[in-house]
Amino acid sequence: TVTGTSTVFTGLSGSTAYTVEVYATSAGGATATSSKSATTPVRQMTYAERVAADGATHYWPLATSGADSVGSMAMSALGAAFTGPPLGDGAASARIPTGGLLNATGAAIDVSKPLSFEALVQIATVGGSGSNWPIFAVGSGLSLCIYEASAFAIDGVGLASGVQWSAGTTRHVALTWDGSTWRVYVDGAQVSTGSQASWSTTGPTSIGGRNGEARGFDGHVAGVATYGTALTAAQVLAHAQSAGVA
C-alpha cells in the first residue's frame, strides 16, 4: 500500500517485463478501479555498473588501455596489448600471450584486510602438466592461478578444485577473503573454500603474471576489479549474470 504519490519497487529481476496497475482508495475506504496499466521492462545492470555499485577500489576494464577507472593504479602492458575480443559486456580485452603480463603502477593492494578480486578470463591454449598460470597476483604472495586445466592454485594455500578450462570459453572468476576464509567462484558458483589467517606479500600487482614477471599465461583478460571487502555469494553471482556467463 502506497500512502503518497510515488513508490519504489525492489526485488525485481533484470530483463523482465512487469505490469503495474494503480488503484486509488479514499479516506472513507472506497476503491476506484484502475483505468490504465503499464508494462515496462526492467533493465539488467551492466557488469561495469555492478562493479561500481558494489564499491570496487580498483577497476580495469582493459578494453583499450590499462587505465584504472575507479582508483589511481594504472596497468602497464609488458609484452601484452589491448587487442583481444570482447569479454562480457566490454568492448574488448587485453591479449596476454606467453611471455607477457600487465603490471600495475602505484601502491600495492592491501592484503592485510578483507578483499575480493574478479575478472573475465578466456584462455587461448590449455596449459600442460604442471602449468600454473597466474590470473592475478600481489607481489610474490597472494595469487590466483589456473593450475593445468582443471584446478586453481592459491599461493600459501595450495590447490583448490575448480572447473575444466577450454580454449575460447569465457569465464568469470572471483576470489574473496573475509579475513579468515577464502572462497573461489567460477561463473557465479562457489567451487572451493578454505581457511587463511593472513597473506604475506611484497611487490607489484600483476595480471597474467606474478611479482612483475610473466609466468606462461596465454589468453585474454577483461573486467578486472578489486574490493576492500569480501563480496557475498549473491553479489558474485549477480556480477557473473551481468557479464552473461551465468
Side-chain angles (χ1 to χ4, degrees):
T1 302
V2 180
T3 57
T5 57
S6 64
T7 189
V8 175
F9 295 97
T10 60
L12 304 182
S13 300
S15 302
T16 302
Y18 292 87
T19 299
V20 179
E21 294 185 343
V22 180
Y23 297 83
T25 302
S26 69
T31 300
T33 302
S34 172
S35 59
K36 292 184 179 181
S37 64
T39 301
T40 182
V42 177
R43 184 179 65 84
Q44 172 82 8
M45 290 179 70
T46 67
Y47 179 77
E49 289 171 341
R50 290 282 185 192
V51 168
D54 287 332
T57 53
H58 298 284
Y59 179 48
W60 300 280
L62 303 181
T64 57
S65 72
D68 184 349
S69 66
V70 175
S72 57
M73 191 187 296
M75 286 282 176
S76 298
L78 305 177
F82 304 100
T83 57
L87 303 184
D89 58 13
S93 61
R95 173 67 174 106
I96 305 176
T98 301
L101 78 157
L102 303 178
N103 218 37
T105 57
I109 292 172
D110 186 356
V111 297
S112 67
K113 301 175 182 178
L115 56 82
S116 297
F117 157 81
E118 67 179 338
L120 295 167
V121 181
Q122 182 187 104
I123 60 172
T125 57
V126 177
S129 177
S131 62
N132 193 26
W133 295 351
I135 301 172
F136 167 82
V138 181
S140 59
L142 172 61
S143 65
L144 178 63
C145 308
I146 300 173
Y147 182 78
E148 296 181 347
S150 60
F152 291 98
I154 303 173
D155 267 58
V157 177
L159 294 179
S161 60
V163 65
Q164 190 67 38
W165 287 82
S166 58
T169 299
T170 301
R171 302 282 191 186
H172 175 263
V173 177
L175 167 68
T176 70
W177 180 63
D178 62 10
S180 61
T181 302
W182 56 264
R183 296 176 174 85
V184 175
Y185 299 82
V186 176
D187 296 344
Q190 181 178 304
V191 296
S192 194
T193 184
S195 299
Q196 184 77 1
S198 63
W199 309 95
S200 96
T201 187
T202 57
T205 299
S206 303
I207 304 297
R210 181 176 171 213
N211 204 25
E213 299 177 352
R215 296 295 179 94
F217 182 93
D218 182 21
H220 310 90
V221 182
V224 177
T226 63
Y227 304 80
T229 59
L231 294 177
T232 66
Q235 288 174 314
V236 174
L237 175 59
H239 291 209
Q241 289 173 333
S242 290
V245 296

